[in-house]
């Protein structure tokens, strides 16, 4: 550190949350913390690891913990030179349960349409939902992506509707379905952090109809 001690500060939203002056040979590190809503510091796990390396650990994070965090280093004596780096922290909350498919009939015939809804409840941000039939992705023209429902606590619920006329088949090779079964799958994902799916089986009846390939 040369002739001057460095001061490390971690402000967020332009408000300081943590400040430390590294120790000298006869002094301990001087640490000052500030109360900021949504910020809960783990004092035991935070601190200087070695010269030039500092760790700040947060616990019990929630949506209010999201924001831009700045590490600022200032020399404690003239010319009081300052360096800083910013990083954005986004808190992601996984859905409270797996996605759910509603409205599936026990069986269908070729003159019917699959009309179902998939919902992923209470996450942040809302899950990205997609439908598959027999592991084939369903085209957007048969999907209805409903507006995100926002809850009072900041969490969000996503819903997607599927309307699939079986008479059109839309390129889906229904004749290849084993035992006349159709698998409806809905996937929910949030970036690379979360992925989950649900599969519901139903039956395609061939009564009076020919299934071409």
């Amino acid at each position: 550190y040369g002739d001057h001690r460095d001061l490390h500060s971690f402000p967020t939203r332009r408000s300081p949350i943590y400040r430390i002056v590294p120790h000298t040979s006869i002094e301990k590190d001087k640490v000052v913390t500030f109360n900021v809503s949504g910020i809960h510091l783990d004092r035991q796990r935070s601190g200087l690891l070695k010269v030039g390396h500092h760790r700040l650990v947060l616990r019990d994070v929630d949506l209010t913990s999201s924001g831009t965090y700045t590490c600022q280093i200032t020399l404690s004596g003239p010319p009081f030179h300052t360096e800083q780096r910013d990083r954005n922290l986004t808190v992601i909350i996984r859905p409270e349960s797996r996605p759910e498919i509603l409205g599936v009939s026990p069986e269908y015939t070729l003159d019917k349409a699959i009309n179902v809804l998939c919902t992923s409840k209470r996450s942040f941000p809302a899950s990205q939902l997609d439908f598959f039939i027999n592991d084939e992705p369903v085209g957007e023209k048969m999907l209805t992506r409903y507006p995100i429902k926002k809850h009072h606590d900041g969490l969000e619920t996503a819903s997607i509707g599927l309307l699939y006329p079986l008479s059109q088949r839309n390129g889906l090779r229904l004749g290849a379905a084993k035992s006349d079964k159709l698998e409806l799958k809905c996937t929910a994902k949030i970036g690379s952090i979360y992925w989950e799916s649900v599969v519901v089986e139903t039956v395609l009846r061939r009564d009076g109809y020919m299934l071409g390939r």
Side-chain angles (χ1 to χ4, degrees):
Y1 296 106
D3 296 331
H4 303 292
R5 289 175 294 172
D6 296 335
L7 181 145
H8 297 243
S9 180
F10 286 83
T12 180
R13 306 180 191 87
R14 298 184 179 179
S15 300
I17 59 173
Y18 182 89
R19 183 173 294 147
I20 180 172
V21 177
H23 71 278
T24 64
S25 58
I26 60 175
E27 295 177 324
K28 295 182 178 180
D29 294 345
K30 295 181 180 179
V31 177
V32 179
T33 60
F34 303 84
N35 292 325
V36 177
S37 176
I39 306 298
H40 307 284
L41 297 175
D42 189 329
R43 286 284 301 271
Q44 292 184 342
R45 299 173 61 193
S46 299
L48 289 170
L49 302 178
K50 60 181 179 179
V51 175
H53 293 267
H54 189 285
R55 178 172 63 191
L56 183 72
V57 179
L58 304 181
R59 57 178 176 80
D60 302 327
V61 296
D62 56 28
L63 293 181
T64 62
S65 306
S66 297
T68 300
Y69 289 75
T70 301
C71 177
Q72 185 180 88
I73 301 177
T74 304
L75 291 177
S76 58
F80 301 105
H81 179 69
T82 298
E83 292 282 348
Q84 70 178 46
R85 294 290 185 273
D86 297 336
R87 290 292 185 271
N88 186 66
L89 172 68
T90 300
V91 175
I92 293 177
I93 298 179
R94 299 176 181 227
E96 63 181 16
S97 59
R98 298 175 62 190
E100 182 181 16
I101 299 177
L102 301 174
V104 180
S105 297
E107 60 182 26
Y108 293 88
T109 56
L110 284 178
D111 60 334
K112 303 297 183 181
I114 299 174
N115 188 0
V116 296
L117 179 74
C118 178
T119 299
S120 178
K121 298 179 180 178
R122 297 180 53 77
S123 66
F124 187 87
S127 299
Q128 169 72 30
L129 299 177
D130 289 290
F131 263 113
F132 297 78
I133 300 180
N134 290 351
D135 286 328
E136 294 287 338
V138 175
E140 283 292 325
K141 65 181 181 180
M142 287 169 283
L143 300 177
T144 301
R145 298 187 182 275
Y146 295 101
I148 300 300
K149 180 180 178 181
K150 299 183 182 295
H151 301 276
H152 70 278
D153 55 3
L155 299 183
E156 300 177 346
T157 292
S159 297
I160 185 174
L162 168 64
L163 180 60
Y164 192 103
L166 288 167
S167 60
Q168 298 180 15
R169 301 203 338 259
N170 297 289
L172 187 67
R173 294 181 296 176
L174 295 177
K178 295 181 179 180
S179 303
D180 297 336
K181 289 184 179 180
L182 295 179
E183 287 189 347
L184 307 182
K185 179 168 69 175
C186 179
T187 62
K189 67 177 181 178
I190 302 176
S192 60
I193 303 298
Y194 169 82
W195 186 93
E196 188 62 85
S197 68
V198 61
V199 175
V200 177
E201 288 190 353
T202 184
V203 175
L204 177 65
R205 288 178 49 195
R206 300 170 182 259
D207 299 359
Y209 295 92
M210 292 292 293
L211 284 177
R213 295 183 181 274

